[in-house]
Amino acid sequence: MAPQTCPFLTIDPSGRNLYDEIAQIRARGPAVEVELPGGVRAWWINGLQLNKRLLAGPETSKDAYRHWPAWINGDISRTWPLAIWVSVRNMVTAYGDDHSRLRKPMAAAFTKRRVDALLPRVQEIVDRALDDLERLPKGEVVDLRAAFAAPVPHEVVCELFGVPHGEDGPRRALYRIIGRFFDTAISLEDAQANAVDLYATLTAFLRYKRAHPADDLTTALIAARDEGSLSEQELMDNLILLLTAGFETTVNLIDNTVHSLLAHPDQLDLVRSGRVTWEDALEESLRYEAPGAMSGLRYAVEDIEIEPDLIIPKGDPVVVSFAGAGRDPERHGPDADRFDVTRATSRDHVSFGHGVHHCLGRPLAMAEATVALTSLFERFPRLALADPGRPPKRLRSIISTGHRELPVLLHGPRTGPRPGPRPEEAEAIRKLSGLRGTSGTRVPRA
């Protein structure tokens, strides 16, 4: 094995310089040993093709209880601030037959019928959020992440899983908990308290759903548990996966796409003019700013030969970097760090995973983001960044890629043509939603 470049690159848990660190790692080689928050060392992989290989093949596992010796023998403490990303037992952390067993009830619950039935409600949620924005005083700086990008997916995921409303109900608690869940700069005490809060909230929620079954994903998963397809712990941990991933990644997709389009007016004009589609913009956003920067840790099931003189030893942890893969210059060219909605390779990314671990929620996330973006830019055609010269602060995370806030002006300078979806996009949205109507794809609010 080639000698490791020393000292180890220590990854900043705040994520503030994530892409600079990715560039440094890329310059050192295809697989580089780094130090993660809490002093845990892992191999970092940036290349797109190598990412795909390790995601799709049997060489790596996400089951720490079977394939990470340092976790099994206690060298990695259960009090490690990122321990919850390792300790959960769900379909993402499962390996082999266990993965197939756990994924099956999730796939059965996440049907196209259920997603299609939800889309008219998505439009209602989006319209209500836009109505709230319209009531704000003109000229006021608005945090679009807090006022739009986050509330919309939160309401959608709560609808999907049947999370009840109420002042002291689980919706507000989950919103708060998930915000901390992805904070990789969080203190040990806060991380542990958040984990306790998460499990207590979900325990109470499952008790409620057993007493109040309905046509929602949680009830479907409880039925799978009752049929013996998964254990109570696996039920709980799969809920953690689906609720957190279903919320955070869609928030970031909307947030990042809006920011990238507003920061690159020439690219926004291409979408507004119809020369490229909203789907093109979303795919380029997924490549350019993967909503999830990494997939959590994987572990070498066997010695993995990267190059003849570079081998990842069996049992070592591996970081598959979605953010790094999206900006791989070997696939996307020397301008891979540039946002370009006309890029021919924009769809070649792993932001929704790859192979057996591809994201079940991709169709909903893409449809949800399309409805949100087309409606937002139609309602506010002069939307603009409040301070174009100052990039928004990034989330405190090496896992979640987005902004702490996205300050915008809803009624900025009048430039460019009025945006709107192309006719074929509007028709696709109407078909998804089972609606007939105008190119704005609106439905009456309840």
Side-chain angles (χ1 to χ4, degrees), residues 104-170:
K104 186 176 180 180
M106 309 301 142
F110 226 101
T111 61
K112 183 178 185 299
R113 176 191 64 81
R114 194 184 300 275
V115 171
D116 287 351
L118 186 62
L119 285 174
R121 180 65 179 138
V122 171
Q123 185 71 67
E124 293 175 4
I125 291 168
V126 167
D127 283 345
R128 182 176 293 111
L130 294 175
D131 290 345
D132 290 341
L133 289 176
E134 277 196 317
R135 295 187 187 97
L136 298 175
K138 288 193 175 183
E140 179 176 308
V141 174
V142 177
D143 177 2
L144 198 70
R145 182 179 176 96
F148 183 73
V152 168
H154 179 65
E155 287 298 308
V156 171
V157 80
C158 286
E159 292 276 342
L160 192 63
F161 286 90
V163 183
H165 290 278
E167 286 295 319
D168 299 320

Side-chain angles (χ1 to χ4, degrees), residues 336-374:
D337 286 326
R338 183 170 65 88
F339 181 74
D340 178 6
V341 296
T342 67
R343 187 180 301 275
T345 60
S346 64
R347 283 167 168 73
D348 197 3
H349 57 76
V350 288
S351 293
F352 281 112
H354 181 70
V356 296
H357 284 284
H358 74 273
C359 178
L360 290 171
R362 176 182 177 131
L364 176 59
M366 291 295 285
E368 189 179 339
T370 300
V371 171
L373 289 170
T374 55

Side-chain angles (χ1 to χ4, degrees), residues 180-357:
R180 291 183 172 184
F181 189 80
F182 291 90
D183 184 350
T184 53
I186 196 170
S187 70
L188 172 60
E189 294 75 19
D190 286 345
Q192 291 176 326
N194 200 51
V196 170
D197 197 3
L198 174 59
Y199 277 105
T201 299
L202 288 182
T203 297
F205 171 54
L206 285 172
R207 187 183 307 118
Y208 171 86
K209 290 307 298 181
R210 284 187 164 109
H212 303 85
D215 183 18
D216 55 53
L217 284 187
T218 305
T219 300
L221 294 178
I222 290 172
R225 160 71 179 103
D226 294 343
E227 293 166 1
S229 300
L230 62 163
S231 69
E232 189 70 17
Q233 185 66 46
E234 289 167 342
L235 168 61
M236 182 84 72
D237 288 351
N238 275 288
L239 269 179
I240 291 174
L241 164 67
L242 295 168
L243 287 168
T244 56
F247 169 64
E248 186 77 2
T249 54
T250 310
V251 176
N252 289 342
L253 177 56
I254 296 170
D255 167 13
N256 291 333
T257 307
V258 171
H259 177 259
S260 293
L261 288 171
L262 295 181
H264 301 85
D266 59 324
Q267 301 299 300
L268 178 56
D269 285 345
L270 289 171
V271 182
R272 284 174 158 166
S273 67
R275 283 173 283 177
V276 298
T277 68
W278 284 102
E279 184 181 357
D280 292 328
L282 283 167
E283 292 287 1
E284 174 64 356
S285 178
L286 286 162
R287 180 204 69 82
Y288 180 71
E289 286 271 24
M294 57 183 278
S295 67
L297 290 181
R298 307 181 78 83
Y299 317 99
V301 174
E302 57 194 39
D303 287 352
I304 302 174
E305 183 178 303
I306 304 301
E307 294 177 341
D309 60 348
L310 180 58
I311 295 173
I312 298 176
K314 178 180 178 180
D316 276 12
V318 178
V319 172
V320 172
S321 174
F322 297 161
R327 299 196 184 188
D328 183 357
E330 291 189 8
R331 176 61 179 127
H332 300 294
D335 67 342
D337 286 326
R338 183 170 65 88
F339 181 74
D340 178 6
V341 296
T342 67
R343 187 180 301 275
T345 60
S346 64
R347 283 167 168 73
D348 197 3
H349 57 76
V350 288
S351 293
F352 281 112
H354 181 70
V356 296
H357 284 284

